[in-house]
Amino acid sequence: MKEILLLKEGEIALKGQNRSSFEDLLIKNAKRRLRALGPFSYFKAQSTIYVTPEDDGIDMDEAFEVAGRVFGVAAYCRACVVEKDYGAICEAAREYLAPALRAVKTFKVEAKRSDKSFPMRSPEICRELGGFLLESFPHLRVDVQNPDVVVIAEIRERGAYLHAGQLPGAGGIPVGSSGRAGLLISGGIDSPVAGYMMAKRGLELSAIHFESPPYTSERAREKVMALLQKLVPYCGRIKCYVVPFTKIQEEIRKNCPEDLFTIIMRRYMMRLSDRIAKEGGLSALVTGESLGQVASQTMLAMACTGAVTDLPIFRPVIGMDKNEIVAIARKIDTFETSILPYEDCCTVFTPRHPRTRPKLEMVEQAEQALQGGALVEEAFAATETVWIREL
Ligand code: ATP
Ligand code: MG
């Protein structure tokens, strides 16, 4: 029996004039994610994208899982494709829907007939198919108000489709529909979650990672790449900029007061991110900062770090508690990787008493001891790029 995937559009169905460009982006993203599983064809009709496997060997369980991570899909389901013949529809319903119907007590049938040449009208299909299923599964009852399962029979130009029960999709809007931004990613728990959240709102992400060899190891870098790989099913392929940060950190340690060390370091991260963004066409920066979590995430500290760039900085976990962030990290399967114990450059030179209420003038004054512009240019010139692609 031939099966297809139905992806139901969420918010983008409300997009008015831009709607079709959102839909095209959704299809493009779905294609990219599913490509590795084999050939599929795509068509859209009435706020739904129909994804048809064009090869019998395609693993539809896996395709279903992949589709569940595509942003812009509000709900999704698998459906069987049937010849447009009432007898064939009944037979297919009995076989294909058996697992779903055996697991419940009540159901109802909904019919959608967009092919008006089909001889039965929708209410008649509902009544007849409902009666047929009651006979085939005698434990069932019809409940039109609050059924356990809604059996949907769609009669369309290209064929008839049967399905029962959809799951909530990944939600959000298609990746790329909001533009491109740079995600500052550490090896921690918060920044991958922040990336996931902003990709959900349509941002296509590039990643920016600061490393400080030999204080940070090759394994710390691999951990970040592993985290990005976990984001790819949601975000699509990601270009990662790896910035050598050792010299900047050493210069700060040598020349600046210890209590301002973290804040100055974070300002350099922002300066470099700004430099990369302007070179790479990124229109915003994303961080995993959460208000009050550590000394560098107080309001005044964030004012100091934000002062070195004119790009908007998105901090989607700013108002979340750690346990709320962890719940998302578990959901997107980054948590176990994030807690691997490799050093991040931030933890290499941590001051004993970081200032929690830094004053911008004081920080700017302390930075005078550094050859700031030259340090940024040198690190920028030595930045590597690595692509993290769909598997
Ligand atoms: P995370 O769990 O994301 O590491 P955190 O709670 O450890 O966050 P900080 O170390 O203060 O917090 O970092 C705050 C934010 O700064 C991170 O969420 C991330 O966006 C960015 N950041 C920190 N370290 C790095 C790094 N080595 N490379 C790139 N960005 C970084
Ligand atoms: Mg961190």
Side-chain angles (χ1 to χ4, degrees):
M1 200 173 295
K2 177 137 176 137
E3 238 190 345
I4 66 166
L5 300 178
L6 304 183
L7 313 181
K8 311 279 171 97
E9 293 167 10
E11 274 174 57
I12 63 177
L14 310 170
K15 292 285 179 199
Q17 289 194 334
N18 294 330
R19 173 171 171 176
S20 88
S21 63
F22 278 85
E23 284 175 332
D24 292 346
L25 198 48
L26 174 55
I27 292 176
K28 186 175 125 202
N29 292 344
K31 272 185 186 167
R32 283 220 175 121
R33 307 296 152 66
L34 286 163
R35 194 163 48 191
L37 303 183
F40 292 86
S41 63
Y42 296 77
F43 78 94
K44 54 183 182 184
Q46 291 167 339
S47 311
T48 302
I49 315 265
Y50 292 71
V51 184
T52 310
E54 295 299 339
D55 182 319
D56 290 343
I58 288 178
D59 182 341
M60 289 299 281
D61 291 342
E62 206 176 336
F64 191 61
E65 240 176 68
V66 170
R69 302 197 192 98
V70 177
F71 290 130
V73 176
Y76 68 124
C77 67
R78 302 161 76 144
C80 89
V81 186
V82 199
E83 194 193 326
K84 282 190 277 184
D85 168 82
Y86 177 65
I89 291 172
C90 288
E91 283 311 311
R94 181 160 59 190
E95 190 187 330
Y96 182 72
L97 303 175
L101 293 175
R102 286 210 186 95
V104 299
K105 294 201 176 77
T106 61
F107 79 112
K108 75 169 174 182
V109 177
E110 274 177 17
K112 294 179 185 165
R113 185 184 64 136
S114 56
D115 174 4
K116 302 295 179 200
S117 71
F118 189 75
M120 296 163 76
R121 304 178 64 170
S122 296
E124 194 185 350
I125 301 172
C126 292
R127 209 170 46 239
E128 295 294 322
L129 182 57
F132 174 80
L133 290 173
L134 278 175
E135 267 172 39
S136 307
F137 300 93
H139 74 284
L140 285 179
R141 265 189 313 112
V142 171
D143 181 346
V144 287
Q145 300 300 338
N146 193 19
D148 296 332
V149 155
V150 181
V151 169
I152 297 183
E154 300 186 26
I155 319 291
R156 293 188 175 275
E157 298 308 318
R158 300 179 183 219
Y161 305 95
L162 277 171
H163 52 97
Q166 56 189 23
L167 290 179
I173 53 178
V175 166
S177 59
S178 298
R180 295 174 60 206
L183 167 67
L184 279 76
I185 186 159
S186 66
I189 296 169
D190 307 331
S191 42
V193 169
Y196 160 84
M197 290 175 74
M198 294 319 298
K200 184 173 183 173
R201 294 313 304 165
L203 283 182
E204 182 182 340
L205 298 176
S206 292
I208 303 170
H209 175 65
F210 298 88
E211 64 172 15
S212 299
Y215 306 103
T216 60
S217 64
E218 186 60 30
R219 288 167 80 187
R221 180 199 280 217
E222 282 163 14
K223 174 184 175 181
V224 171
M225 299 306 147
L227 286 170
L228 289 171
Q229 193 71 60
K230 299 268 186 195
L231 292 181
V232 164
Y234 298 97
C235 303
R237 64 192 179 144
I238 299 170
K239 182 180 189 176
C240 182
Y241 297 87
V242 181
V243 188
F245 208 47
T246 316
K247 179 157 176 201
I248 291 180
Q249 287 191 297
E250 288 175 341
E251 287 295 309
I252 299 172
R253 189 174 52 170
K254 227 186 299 167
N255 297 298
C256 301
E258 185 183 318
D259 62 344
L260 294 179
F261 178 79
T262 308
I263 195 78
I264 294 175
M265 179 192 77
R266 298 196 55 77
R267 279 161 60 88
Y268 275 91
M269 285 188 176
M270 284 297 170
R271 287 186 176 104
L272 271 150
S273 300
D274 181 271
R275 183 78 173 80
I276 289 167
K278 281 167 187 162
E279 192 80 12
L282 310 173
S283 312
L285 299 173
V286 178
T287 76
E289 288 162 304
S290 162
L291 188 62
Q293 195 186 79
V294 289
S296 60
Q297 297 177 24
T298 63
M299 257 201 298
L300 288 173
M302 284 189 275
C304 288
T305 46
V308 298
T309 174
D310 54 9
L311 293 171
I313 302 174
F314 297 139
R315 301 177 172 95
V317 305
I318 193 73
M320 292 171 74
D321 293 350
K322 197 74 181 186
N323 59 347
E324 294 170 313
I325 302 172
V326 165
I328 298 178
R330 287 190 192 281
K331 182 175 110 176
I332 62 174
D333 194 32
T334 52
F335 183 73
E336 296 297 331
T337 307
S338 288
I339 60 175
L340 293 173
Y342 309 124
E343 289 289 282
D344 180 62
C345 70
C346 290
T347 55
V348 175
F349 309 100
T350 25
R352 280 158 296 179
H353 303 292
R355 196 173 274 271
T356 54
R357 301 167 67 84
K359 294 226 166 51
L360 187 55
E361 310 82 72
M362 198 196 287
V363 175
E364 284 172 344
Q365 176 73 37
E367 282 176 350
Q368 307 259 313
L370 300 167
Q371 301 291 323
L375 285 172
V376 168
E377 282 315 306
E378 194 184 329
F380 178 72
T383 294
E384 283 174 57
T385 57
V386 183
W387 275 99
I388 318 296
R389 296 193 157 84
E390 277 100 350
L391 287 176

